[in-house]
C-alpha cells in the first residue's frame, strides 16, 4: 500500500462500501461494484468498475487505487490480476456474524478509524444480543432459507445465525457452515422432510416467485406452504455479509416470523 491510511480505495463488494459510509470515510472510495446500492447515494457518487466475479481491470487501474477491497474465493482471479499489476489488495472472507463484526473492525483499522469501527461493531453486537433476548421466549419456528432456486441452495452461516437471533430454527443449520454454495445444495425431498413453518427466499439478482416454490413436487404438504408463509427478503438486505444483514435483513426475518 503506497499510503496509510489509503486515500483511494476501490470496493468490489457492497458491504465494505456501506461500512466506509457508516464510518464517515466515503471520500476515500473512488470505485465500487455494480451491485453497490447502500447507501442509495453511492450510485450517484461513485463510478462502477466491476460485477461480482469480473472487473474492468483497466478501469480499476486508471483510478490509481492505494487499496482494493474484495470478498471471497469467487473474486480470487480478480485479486490475482490486481496483485500482478502491483496493486495492494485486502481480501475479506467473512461467513458468519463474528466474521462480519471482525470485518468492520479490520476495515476501520485499515483506514485509520479503528475507534469508530469498534464503536460501530459494538453497537451491532448489542443490537443482536437485545433482539436475541427479546425473542428467546417465543416458540421456535422451523425456517428454510433459500439462497437460490435451481439448484436449491440453503442459507449460509450468517443467515442461519440471524434466523436463530430472530427466534427461529434453521432446518439446514448443519449445512450453513459450508462456505461454498455447492456444499449447501438441498433436495426437494429434504425440504419436505424438514417441514419448515416458514420459507424465506432471496435469489440474488432474481425476483422470488413464491408460486413456483409452492408448486414444487411434494411442497403442498409443507406447513409453510399450507399456511402461505413464503416470504422474499431482498438480496441486498441479507446476502451481503455486512451492516445491511445486521439491521434491515435481521428486521425482515423478525417480521416474517411474527
Amino acid at each position: 500500500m503506497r499510503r496509510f491510511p489509503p486515500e483511494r480505495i476501490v470496493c468490489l463488494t457492497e458491504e465494505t462500501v456501506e461500512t466506509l459510509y457508516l464510518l464517515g470515510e466515503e471520500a476515500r472510495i473512488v470505485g465500487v461494484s455494480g451491485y453497490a446500492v447502500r447507501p442509495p447515494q453511492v450510485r450517484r457518487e461513485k463510478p462502477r468498475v466491476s460485477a461480482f466475479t469480473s472487473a474492468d481491470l483497466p478501469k480499476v487501474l486508471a483510478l490509481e487505487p492505494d487499496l482494493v477491497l474484495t470478498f471471497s474465493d469467487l473474486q480470487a482471479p480478480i485479486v490475482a490480476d490486481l496483485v500482478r499489476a502491483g496493486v495492494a489488495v485486502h481480501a475479506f472472507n467473512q461467513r458468519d456474524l463474528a466474521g462480519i463484526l471482525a470485518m468492520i473492525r479490520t476495515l476501520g483499522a485499515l483506514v485509520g478509524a479503528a475507534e469508530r469501527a469498534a464503536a460501530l461493531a459494538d453497537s451491532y453486537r448489542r443490537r443482536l444480543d437485545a433482539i436475541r433476548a427479546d425473542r428467546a421466549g417465543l416458540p421456535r419456528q422451523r425456517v428454510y432459507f433459500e439462497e437460490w432456486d435451481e439448484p436449491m441452495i440453503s442459507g449460509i452461516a450468517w443467515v442461519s445465525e440471524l434466523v436463530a437471533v430472530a427466534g427461529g430454527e434453521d432446518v439446514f443449520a448443519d449445512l450453513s457452515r459450508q462456505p461454498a454454495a455447492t456444499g449447501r445444495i438441498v433436495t426437494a425431498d429434504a425440504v419436505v422432510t424438514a417441514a419448515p413453518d416458514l420459507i424465506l427466499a432471496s435469489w440474488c439478482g432474481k425476483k422470488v416467485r413464491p408460486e413456483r416454490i409452492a408448486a414444487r413436487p411434494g411442497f403442498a404438504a409443507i406447513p409453510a406452504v399450507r399456511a402461505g408463509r413464503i416470504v422474499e427478503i431482498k438480496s441486498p438486505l441479507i446476502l451481503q455479509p455486512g451492516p445491511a444483514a445486521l439491521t434491515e435483513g435481521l428486521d425482515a426475518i423478525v417480521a416474517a416470523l411474527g
Side-chain angles (χ1 to χ4, degrees):
M1 195 157 58
R2 295 176 297 178
R3 288 182 284 256
F4 181 83
E7 296 176 8
R8 301 180 63 80
I9 299 175
V10 172
C11 302
L12 299 189
T13 56
E14 182 179 55
E15 63 279 352
T16 50
V17 173
E18 183 175 15
T19 301
L20 287 170
Y21 268 87
L22 288 167
L23 294 175
E25 298 291 341
E26 66 274 13
R28 300 181 188 278
I29 303 172
V30 295
V32 299
S33 159
Y35 291 102
V37 296
R38 293 173 62 90
Q41 63 265 34
V42 70
R43 296 186 72 81
R44 302 190 306 269
E45 295 177 351
K46 307 298 180 181
R48 294 182 289 278
V49 297
S50 74
F52 183 61
T53 58
S54 63
D56 188 329
L57 188 61
K59 187 178 289 187
V60 172
L61 296 178
L63 293 171
E64 299 183 341
D66 301 313
L67 178 65
V68 177
L69 301 173
T70 70
F71 169 72
S72 93
D73 57 298
L74 294 177
Q75 292 193 327
I78 303 172
V79 170
D81 288 342
L82 290 167
V83 170
R84 291 188 191 102
V87 177
V89 180
H90 186 95
F92 287 103
N93 210 11
Q94 69 275 14
R95 305 298 177 115
D96 55 18
L97 295 184
I100 293 174
L101 297 177
M103 177 275 292
I104 293 170
R105 292 173 181 271
T106 302
L107 182 53
L110 284 171
V111 299
E115 289 187 6
R116 273 175 283 146
L120 182 62
D122 287 343
S123 73
Y124 289 139
R125 171 59 68 191
R126 289 192 298 271
R127 185 176 199 273
L128 292 168
D129 290 344
I131 293 174
R132 184 184 288 109
D134 183 61
R135 306 284 295 180
L138 299 176
R140 305 292 286 187
Q141 299 179 50
R142 293 172 59 78
V143 179
Y144 165 51
F145 184 94
E146 185 169 282
E147 185 178 303
W148 193 248
D149 61 328
E150 294 179 340
M152 290 184 289
I153 297 173
S154 61
I156 199 167
W158 75 80
V159 175
S160 181
E161 291 177 341
L162 288 173
V163 167
V165 169
E169 177 186 346
D170 176 12
V171 297
F172 295 115
D174 58 325
L175 297 180
S176 69
R177 293 290 166 182
Q178 296 291 327
T182 52
R184 291 178 278 113
I185 294 174
V186 298
T187 65
D189 286 345
V191 179
V192 172
T193 299
D197 303 299
L198 172 67
I199 295 175
L200 300 175
S202 186
W203 301 343
C204 187
K206 183 168 67 172
K207 181 176 175 55
V208 171
R209 301 291 298 274
E211 71 279 6
R212 290 187 181 176
I213 295 175
R216 291 172 184 164
F219 270 43
I222 295 175
V225 175
R226 292 202 307 267
R229 300 184 69 205
I230 303 174
V231 179
E232 177 180 19
I233 299 180
K234 299 298 184 182
S235 56
L237 301 184
I238 196 66
L239 296 185
Q240 304 284 354
L246 306 182
T247 54
E248 292 178 56
L250 175 54
D251 290 347
I253 297 173
V254 169
L257 283 165

